[in-house]
Amino acid sequence: MPTLYEITGEMKALEEMIDTFTTDIDGNPRDLEPDDRDALLALVDEIQGQFSAKAERICRYMADVQAVAAACKAEEERLAKRRRAADRKAEALKWILETSMIRAGMEKAEAGTFKLAFQKNPPSVFIARPEDVPPEYWRIIPETREPDKRKMLDDLKAGREIPGALLSQGSSLRIR
């Protein structure tokens, strides 16, 4: 079977052929002989049938491709739910380890091929009262206004006091 591109080319050629047969040299309409008219109509029916069959095949293939895409999306959603559940479970297990080590007063532990140790996080700024933070510690972002924690962190590390903010440093469990 010809391609859709070839069929549409045949349709265009058929239109030109019909124009040629139905108009004279001066562009005036002319009547076709019944045999010529029947032959042209049969050719139109054949080309339209080819187009229809090809278009139906393309539509069926497109429906198959869309079904595959829908199945992939459903699988993505299913896997995303599984991933979120696994993430929550891993966080809960890490919390159990962390809590147990804190209760036992342990800073480090060996667990087979794993090493557990509390490690200080980088210093960060906790803003207790944003309204008390001086204007020089604010940065203006179009449509928003928020404290510049990087600048505040540097000044707090250098020993400067900033109203409404204090330097804090927590710790978290690292598993390697």
Side-chain angles (χ1 to χ4, degrees), residues 28-90:
N28 297 320
R30 89 174 155 172
D31 292 332
L32 289 174
E33 295 294 320
D35 289 343
D36 291 340
R37 187 171 46 85
D38 291 343
L40 280 175
L41 288 174
L43 194 54
V44 166
D45 286 345
E46 180 186 339
I47 291 175
Q48 284 179 339
Q50 287 178 350
F51 179 85
S52 180
K54 187 57 114 176
E56 181 182 11
R57 285 186 181 140
I58 290 172
C59 289
R60 287 183 188 280
Y61 180 63
M62 187 174 67
D64 287 346
V65 170
Q66 287 172 332
V68 168
C72 288
K73 183 178 180 183
E75 185 67 5
E76 285 174 6
E77 291 169 1
R78 185 186 72 80
L79 289 173
K81 286 179 184 174
R82 253 182 106 180
R83 179 191 50 80
R84 286 190 297 270
D87 284 344
R88 285 191 302 270
K89 186 182 279 187

Side-chain angles (χ1 to χ4, degrees), residues 21 23 25 27 32 36 64 68 79 82 85 89 98 102 104 106 111 120-121 127 130 136 145 147 168 173:
F21 280 111
T23 56
I25 292 178
L32 289 174
D36 291 340
D64 287 346
V68 168
L79 289 173
R82 253 182 106 180
K89 186 182 279 187
E98 207 170 292
I102 290 170
M106 299 170 65
K120 288 192 182 264
N121 292 334
I127 300 173
E136 70 261 19
R145 187 179 124 124
S168 69
L173 182 64

Side-chain angles (χ1 to χ4, degrees), residues 1-174:
M1 173 170 246
T3 65
L4 190 61
Y5 178 77
E6 292 168 339
I7 293 170
T8 54
E10 289 176 12
M11 291 173 95
K12 189 67 176 160
L14 182 61
E15 284 178 23
E16 291 171 4
M17 188 185 328
I18 291 171
D19 284 345
T20 302
F21 280 111
T22 57
T23 56
D24 62 17
I25 292 178
D26 297 326
N28 297 320
R30 89 174 155 172
D31 292 332
L32 289 174
E33 295 294 320
D35 289 343
D36 291 340
R37 187 171 46 85
D38 291 343
L40 280 175
L41 288 174
L43 194 54
V44 166
D45 286 345
E46 180 186 339
I47 291 175
Q48 284 179 339
Q50 287 178 350
F51 179 85
S52 180
K54 187 57 114 176
E56 181 182 11
R57 285 186 181 140
I58 290 172
C59 289
R60 287 183 188 280
Y61 180 63
M62 187 174 67
D64 287 346
V65 170
Q66 287 172 332
V68 168
C72 288
K73 183 178 180 183
E75 185 67 5
E76 285 174 6
E77 291 169 1
R78 185 186 72 80
L79 289 173
K81 286 179 184 174
R82 253 182 106 180
R83 179 191 50 80
R84 286 190 297 270
D87 284 344
R88 285 191 302 270
K89 186 182 279 187
E91 284 299 316
L93 293 170
K94 183 178 178 183
W95 179 83
I96 289 169
L97 281 172
E98 207 170 292
T99 304
S100 298
M101 287 178 66
I102 290 170
R103 286 176 128 185
M106 299 170 65
E107 287 288 319
K108 295 179 180 184
E110 300 247 349
T113 58
F114 296 95
K115 291 183 180 182
L116 310 173
F118 282 98
Q119 175 181 329
K120 288 192 182 264
N121 292 334
S124 64
V125 175
F126 172 75
I127 300 173
R129 294 177 42 111
E131 61 274 6
D132 291 342
V133 175
E136 70 261 19
Y137 291 104
W138 288 87
R139 56 185 167 155
I140 297 177
I141 298 172
E143 302 299 321
T144 63
R145 187 179 124 124
E146 66 180 31
D148 185 351
K149 287 187 172 184
R150 170 60 36 203
K151 183 177 179 185
M152 294 170 80
L153 177 64
D154 293 340
D155 285 356
L156 286 169
K157 279 183 176 179
R160 184 160 179 214
E161 283 191 27
I162 302 171
L166 56 104
L167 189 61
S168 69
Q169 185 172 17
S171 64
S172 61
L173 182 64
R174 304 284 194 260

